[in-house]
Amino acid sequence: MEYFLTEEQQMIKELAARIAEERVKPVAAELDEKEEFPWEIMSILAEADLFRVWVPEEYGGLGGGVFEQALVVEELSKACSGVAVSYAASGLGAFPILLYGSEEQKNRYMPDIASGKRLAAFALTEADAGSDVSAIATTAVKDGDDYVLNGTKQWITNAGDAEIYVVIAVTDKSKGARGSSAFIVEKGTPGLSFGKKEKKLGIRASSTREVILENCRIPKENLLGREGLGFVVAMKTFDKTRPGIGAQAVGIAQGALDVAVNYARERVQFDQPISSFQGVQFMLADMATQTEAARALVYSAAKMADSGVGNISKAAAMAKLFASDVCMKVTVDAVQVLGGYGYMREYPVEKMMRDAKITQIYEGTNQIQRSIIALELVREAARKSRK
Amino acid sequence: MHIVVCIKQVPDPSQARIDRETGLVIREGVDKIINPYDLYALEESLRLKEAHDGQVTALSMGPPSAEDVLKDAVAMGVDHGVLLSGRDFAGADTLATSYALALAVQKLESVDLIICGKQAADGDTAQVGPGLAANLDRPHVTEVRKIRHIEEDKMVVERLTDTGYEVIRLSLPAVITVVKEINEPRIPGLRGMMRAKKAQIPAWDAEYIGADPQRLGLKGSPTRVWRTFEPTRHGQGEMLRGTAGEQAVLLWEKLRGRL
Ligand SMILES: Cc1cc2nc3c(=O)[nH]c(=O)nc-3n(C[C@H](O)[C@H](O)[C@H](O)COP(=O)(O)OP(=O)(O)OC[C@H]3O[C@@H](n4cnc5c(N)ncnc54)[C@H](O)[C@@H]3O)c2cc1C
């Protein structure tokens, strides 16, 4: 399909594809096996200016947005989505600063994030607060010119490796959902520590750890926006980053499809390549069609996110939901096309199938995405009927 | 420190095909790329530039399309590109090429070091680096796998040999050619690529570099290609399996059969 990318977008896509092919693919299986954070690849991405693509020019970026970031995430995910999410999670940590940071905060943090010198992370989830973010128990108490944070965040991508954390904490319990706030916490701050790296089903190169805050004292200048905005910051951030999860899903699916098509041409059974069997052909055709539909939806949502139109929650949720469900299905079918070989670690599709699952879970499970979409539908209808 | 890197545009060797009737390399429909060995020369020059606060000029002789490889070099981080282009240069062998490149280098200001790739992937002669040094009357070392040390007027390099390496000290300015063991070339970043798109690449002609037209291009090239052909393959390789001891026995039996 032709998406009429600008010359610059084409350049970004080709560069990300080249790095994925030359530098990521050869080490993807090893990174998965060793569950190792891909530092070397992060520095290659940094030198290639790929952390700059979604950052405005005034903060050292190249002035693109969600769409450009999605192009990079998609290409990297074709080779290894553990790498892709480590890259993308820096964006997840940075969007709150871009969206709600003061000029001073943006100038302080964004140039290093854009250059890739420092990675960012976003810490919302806790042991008892997953889908129900209003259940978070981490607190931030004002003390003179500081806030003192206490609590434990769980399953935070890039935790330990990132240097800049946006943490959502309760500042006023009596206000419920309006009682939480977003803070910037830098690695090295006394009272900030990390749990051990979690052992996961997929995206095993990416690091997932607890973020532990014990009397962690930060200056009040590190509050993002104002008190009470915590969940708004989180939701508006997800609106910007869910198309990126969609792009991750599209990339994994495309990677798996590419392997499956090539394999089907070469594998001979009953004296003919298995691609000559209609049973296999129809699987490949469905995989390709679904992947392309997911890509079209992701690109549209990403462009909407960059356009500045009003509410994009529904579009962002649809892109994430559809692409991740497609990704799961396509990767399962890719393993099927490769048969027993697909089940073996010598071939990349079993990893892609393991990696696919997370896209249906994080940044809001697909059930939560459906709730968001339904809620928006009802709201829109109500607004129309009022007119 | 001013470093000059000589680079060449070649047909992509991975797409190389030969016309069986004429024996010539088929150039139509084949992508033209930067000679793969020259990427190591470029990378080494950029590392020296970064470590010693120098500047790098990339130099190429070729048709107007060779501007592309100079832009690739700018994308990687070289400061300037210079293209030697014009009808006079066409059809040059290694002798005429080294002569022209040497004159171009002399046009550049205070050059300390010239780096070339080990050889070009199309001609495979490995003669232009040494030829350039001869024209400039400067020392050279081929097949450098490491620059150990460099200062204002001398450098120490390791030269790859079949059995190991030699350590050689030479005075600057000098010419070296490098092998792929020396580094891993960088992938150009987006900002470099954008800079390259806007970069102006000056094209110098024979007159500008003060060349004798008789020594340029086809006229200045005594090399004549007599015939080119695809080598025919004789026999087939065979893998011996088993433990080292078993393989030795198998090998001995095979060799004895041939004696
Ligand atoms: C690898 C990994 C990386 C992560 N990275 C981050 C990160 O960087 N930052 C961060 O803050 N968090 C991160 N998370 C957390 C992630 O966002 C949560 O896991 C996710 O939001 C779901 O929460 P939960 O796991 O507690 O599931 P639960 O909320 O306990 O859900 C369990 C099941 O119940 C369903 N369910 C729950 N509520 C409803 C409802 N109202 N209606 C219908 N179904 C419902 C869910 O869909 C799911 O199927 C990460 C998680 C993982 C696994």
Side-chain angles (χ1 to χ4, degrees), chain A residues 122 124-125 130-131 155-157 200 358 361-363 365 367:
Chain A
F122 183 72
L124 171 61
T125 305
S131 300
W155 301 336
I156 305 310
T157 303
K200 305 190 293 287
I358 192 62
I361 297 173
Y362 58 18
E363 292 204 17
T365 66
Q367 287 70 33

Side-chain angles (χ1 to χ4, degrees), chain A residues 85 89 92 121-133 153-158 200 202-203 206-208 238 358 360-368 371:
Chain A
V85 73
L92 177 65
F122 183 72
L124 171 61
T125 305
E126 297 177 9
D128 295 324
S131 300
D132 181 8
V133 292
K153 297 291 177 182
Q154 174 175 276
W155 301 336
I156 305 310
T157 303
N158 281 357
K200 305 190 293 287
I203 54 163
S206 135
S207 44
T208 314
F238 288 147
I358 192 62
Q360 295 178 307
I361 297 173
Y362 58 18
E363 292 204 17
T365 66
N366 280 6
Q367 287 70 33
I368 295 302
S371 311

Side-chain angles (χ1 to χ4, degrees), chain A residues 199-244:
Chain A
K199 300 230 168 244
K200 305 190 293 287
L201 172 71
I203 54 163
R204 288 161 56 171
S206 135
S207 44
T208 314
R209 292 191 176 87
E210 282 177 346
V211 171
I212 303 159
L213 302 143
E214 289 165 306
N215 290 322
C216 181
R217 185 175 283 273
I218 55 169
K220 69 175 192 309
E221 289 73 37
N222 286 18
L223 173 69
L224 273 173
R226 51 185 163 74
E227 272 194 26
L229 276 187
F231 291 138
V232 178
V233 169
M235 296 310 137
K236 293 289 174 196
T237 296
F238 288 147
D239 283 351
K240 293 278 192 189
T241 56
R242 279 177 184 145

Side-chain angles (χ1 to χ4, degrees), chain A residues 7 11 15 23 48-49 52, chain B residues 184-185 188 190-191 193 197:
Chain A
E7 202 181 329
M11 207 152 97
L15 180 59
R23 303 293 168 92
D49 301 315
R52 296 182 197 274
Chain B
E184 183 173 17
L190 289 166
R191 289 183 305 170
M193 283 153 79
K197 255 198 337 197

Side-chain angles (χ1 to χ4, degrees), chain A residues 379-387:
Chain A
R379 268 193 202 153
E380 283 166 16
R383 225 173 288 138
K384 249 184 234 157
S385 68
R386 238 180 282 138
K387 275 185 195 157

Side-chain angles (χ1 to χ4, degrees), chain B residues 37-164:
Chain B
Y37 294 108
D38 297 345
L39 291 171
Y40 304 96
L42 281 168
E43 177 63 35
E44 203 56 25
S45 75
L46 295 171
R47 290 184 186 190
L48 289 173
K49 166 187 152 150
E50 283 153 9
H52 301 277
D53 200 21
Q55 58 161 323
V56 179
T57 302
L59 175 63
S60 185
M61 187 182 98
S65 69
E67 191 186 271
D68 291 348
V69 295
L70 289 164
K71 291 206 162 189
D72 289 348
V74 171
M76 279 177 79
V78 313
D79 302 279
H80 312 283
V82 172
L83 176 64
L84 283 188
S85 199
R87 221 177 307 153
D88 294 329
F89 298 113
D93 67 2
T94 55
L95 187 73
T97 303
S98 332
Y99 168 69
L101 290 176
L103 289 175
V105 168
Q106 282 162 343
K107 270 272 172 196
L108 294 165
E109 252 157 62
S110 55
V111 174
D112 300 291
L113 177 65
I114 300 159
I115 311 182
C116 305
K118 170 174 103 118
Q119 64 198 53
D122 53 356
D124 265 347
T125 66
Q127 288 167 356
V128 168
L132 179 56
N135 274 288
L136 292 168
D137 199 19
R138 294 305 311 169
H140 80 268
V141 175
T142 55
E143 315 229 343
V144 170
R145 62 159 220 179
K146 186 175 181 182
I147 295 179
R148 276 198 180 177
H149 174 79
I150 186 163
E151 57 191 271
E152 213 163 297
D153 55 356
K154 58 176 179 291
M155 73 192 296
V156 179
V157 299
E158 292 178 10
R159 176 177 192 274
L160 187 71
T161 68
D162 285 342
T163 49

